[in-house]
Amino acid sequence: MKRHLGERLSALIDGELSDAQRERVLAHLAKCDECRQEAAALRLLKRRMHGLGEAAAADALTWRLLALAPASGPGQPVDPATAGRHSAGREGSELHQRLTGPGC
């Protein structure tokens, strides 16, 4: 398939074109069935993607990742012997607060 509009078609669907660019793309769509079909497919894809919502990690995964963070801060080497252990008590709470901010 020859891509007549290329990136401009996605930009149209996403509302990223200037008025002049939008008018040129719409004029092309009025004459080109192939591009109209591609535009319809992109609109459908965007609706479906939007319908999926935000992805969120499960709490268990979040805590496993937090446990991998070194207690001394970012950029410090991790001790492989303790990297997989879950931080508990005050230490775990401090690590959680450091990574998520106060009040989280």
Side-chain angles (χ1 to χ4, degrees):
M1 175 199 310
K2 183 178 177 184
R3 292 184 48 106
H4 298 174
L5 295 173
E7 302 272 331
R8 290 174 292 174
L9 191 53
S10 293
L12 171 73
I13 304 302
D14 292 337
E16 298 172 345
L17 296 177
S18 69
D19 289 340
Q21 291 171 320
R22 184 176 181 274
E23 290 303 317
R24 284 194 299 274
V25 169
L26 291 175
H28 178 83
L29 288 176
K31 298 181 283 183
C32 183
D33 186 53
E34 190 176 322
C35 288
R36 276 194 310 276
Q37 288 177 10
E38 188 174 352
L42 285 172
R43 285 186 185 105
L44 178 62
L45 176 62
K46 184 175 182 174
R47 279 195 306 272
R48 287 182 177 172
M49 295 286 286
H50 187 23
L52 293 175
E54 295 284 326
D59 286 343
L61 173 61
T62 301
W63 280 108
R64 285 198 320 264
L65 293 171
L66 288 172
L68 293 175
S72 56
Q76 300 299 316
V78 176
D79 179 2
T82 60
R85 294 186 192 157
H86 176 72
S87 298
R90 199 182 104 218
E91 256 182 28
S93 177
E94 287 173 1
L95 177 60
H96 176 73
Q97 191 137 42
R98 246 185 27 242
L99 294 171
T100 61
C104 292

